[in-house]
Amino acid sequence: MTAEIWQTDMNGVYLHTGSFGRKMRDDQFQGFGRSITDQNGHFSFRTIIPVEYPGRTPHIHLKLLNESENVLTTQLYIQGHPLNKEDFLFKQMTKAEQKINSMKLIKNNAALAATSFEALS
Ligand SMILES: [Fe+2]
């Protein structure tokens, strides 16, 4: 299975041509990535901690594909982030959905690691 992510740069600007704040975009930030899952469905990316942008709590977009078939499109949130409770999409989910769509940031030497889908493991 293929996992694809996309997110804003540290200024809250997407690579997309229609994104607001294009003049502030960090052109050193790729903004998207693709990975192949392992035998257990695990995948990983090295990226920045997502930031908020107007009207949205920090999140990373995620799409899972089986060959070219879309299996899942969702967003991953930072567990316990104070803006989650104000986010119009986050608020629409049940507590269980919020939990499985949230990443827990864990200190890992000089960086942070994130885990997700706790309810499924
Ligand atoms: Fe977004």
Side-chain angles (χ1 to χ4, degrees):
M1 196 168 306
T2 302
E4 295 179 346
I5 63 166
W6 65 98
Q7 68 182 104
T8 68
D9 65 13
M10 66 183 180
N11 299 315
V13 181
Y14 281 105
L15 175 62
H16 191 275
T17 54
S19 181
F20 83 98
R22 292 279 301 161
K23 291 181 180 170
M24 299 186 316
R25 198 178 99 65
D26 176 2
D27 61 5
Q28 299 299 305
F29 182 66
Q30 185 170 307
F32 64 93
R34 177 179 289 160
S35 179
I36 304 298
T37 60
D38 69 15
Q39 304 164 338
N40 299 313
H42 296 159
F43 60 89
S44 63
F45 290 96
R46 182 177 174 198
T47 187
I48 63 171
I49 297 172
V51 300
E52 67 265 26
Y53 59 85
R56 295 303 318 277
T57 192
H59 61 276
I60 297 175
H61 293 264
L62 169 68
K63 184 179 288 244
L64 297 176
L65 302 135
N66 189 6
E67 306 215 355
S68 61
E69 182 183 347
N70 184 19
V71 174
L72 172 72
T73 302
T74 189
Q75 298 177 18
L76 302 175
Y77 301 87
I78 298 173
Q79 186 179 60
H81 194 283
L83 290 177
N84 289 349
K85 60 180 175 279
E86 299 171 25
D87 188 85
F88 76 101
L89 286 175
F90 192 85
K91 289 191 302 188
Q92 290 178 26
M93 294 188 287
T94 66
K95 293 290 182 200
E97 290 169 335
Q98 291 174 351
K99 185 175 180 181
I100 64 171
N101 285 289
S102 293
M103 305 176 287
K104 183 187 293 184
L105 300 181
I106 302 165
K107 194 163 179 64
N108 182 7
N109 296 322
L112 292 172
T115 62
S116 188
F117 304 114
E118 275 184 24
L120 302 178
S121 57

